[in-house]
Amino acid sequence: MLIAALLVSSAVVRAAAGYGGGHALTSRDAATLGIEVHPSPAEPATGTRTVTSCPSDDEIGALVTELSTRLKKVEEREAAIAAQEARLAATRKEILQKLEALEDAEARLSGTISRVETGAEDDISRLTAVYENMKPKEAAELFSQMAPDFAAGFLARMRPDAAAAIMAGLTPRAAYAISVVLAGRNAGAPRE
């Protein structure tokens, strides 16, 4: 577009200077200007042709105006594309920063969850050891006050001899409820 505008400007200058008549143009120049050309009888191998009709000043002015308008539209479009690319780059940068922050938060949360789970497991193991080391009669009194699911969780972690001594000290109803929970804990696990 820029080259075409320069060629048209050159044609306007030549027309204004009085070189309008039979100067040589290339076929491409003539096509750009919308000029009809006919090959000369002894046309050189360079592809130049003699112009037999020259556009009027009004036609050249209209062509220059049209090319200027097109050039302005192209420049505006390029500016809009550049602005959009800048916005996209800024958005991409922001998304990458947020993604990095999210990954950092996930890593911190994973570490916190790991510490909490380890701490909870340690607490349950200590409490289980305390119940194992209690006198069976005293432990049975505590276990009879617990919900069967809760009591079964501790008894399942104990050594069999300590768990048996505590179960022996429970009422038959409490011992049965805990036994049902213990027996059914893995009933829903897949067998294959």
Side-chain angles (χ1 to χ4, degrees), residues 142-165:
L142 284 172
F143 275 74
S144 66
Q145 300 299 315
M146 293 179 192
D149 291 343
F150 191 70
F154 286 111
L155 288 171
R157 292 171 166 263
M158 291 182 181
R159 296 184 321 269
D161 62 319

Side-chain angles (χ1 to χ4, degrees), residues 128-142:
T128 301
V130 168
Y131 288 144
E132 280 181 332
N133 292 320
M134 287 176 73
K135 293 183 182 176
K137 184 177 179 181
E138 292 171 358
E141 287 179 29
L142 284 172

Side-chain angles (χ1 to χ4, degrees), residues 84-186:
Q84 185 176 11
E85 286 176 351
R87 285 191 305 271
L88 288 173
T91 301
R92 178 174 164 44
K93 182 178 178 182
E94 184 180 331
I95 287 171
L96 290 175
Q97 288 172 342
K98 287 182 179 183
L99 183 61
E100 185 177 319
L102 184 61
E103 288 171 351
D104 289 345
E106 183 180 11
R108 287 192 312 269
L109 181 61
S110 178
T112 301
I113 289 172
S114 177
R115 284 190 304 274
V116 168
E117 287 176 350
T118 302
E121 182 62 33
D122 290 347
D123 291 345
I124 291 172
S125 294
R126 274 192 222 105
L127 191 53
T128 301
V130 168
Y131 288 144
E132 280 181 332
N133 292 320
M134 287 176 73
K135 293 183 182 176
K137 184 177 179 181
E138 292 171 358
E141 287 179 29
L142 284 172
F143 275 74
S144 66
Q145 300 299 315
M146 293 179 192
D149 291 343
F150 191 70
F154 286 111
L155 288 171
R157 292 171 166 263
M158 291 182 181
R159 296 184 321 269
D161 62 319
I166 293 172
M167 290 284 281
L170 293 173
T171 64
R173 175 175 241 132
Y176 174 76
I178 293 171
S179 296
V180 167
V181 172
L182 285 171
R185 285 177 68 170
N186 294 320

Side-chain angles (χ1 to χ4, degrees), residues 2-28:
L2 181 61
I3 292 172
L6 290 174
L7 289 174
V8 169
S9 298
S10 173
V12 169
V13 169
R14 285 182 182 183
Y19 296 112
H23 63 281
L25 293 175
T26 64
S27 300
R28 189 179 341 153

Side-chain angles (χ1 to χ4, degrees), residues 54-97:
C54 186
S56 69
D57 289 343
D58 291 339
E59 290 173 334
I60 291 174
L63 187 57
V64 168
T65 302
E66 181 180 342
L67 288 174
S68 296
T69 303
R70 285 185 183 179
L71 182 61
K72 185 176 180 180
K73 286 180 181 178
V74 168
E75 289 172 348
E76 288 172 356
R77 178 78 175 139
E78 286 176 351
I81 289 171
Q84 185 176 11
E85 286 176 351
R87 285 191 305 271
L88 288 173
T91 301
R92 178 174 164 44
K93 182 178 178 182
E94 184 180 331
I95 287 171
L96 290 175
Q97 288 172 342

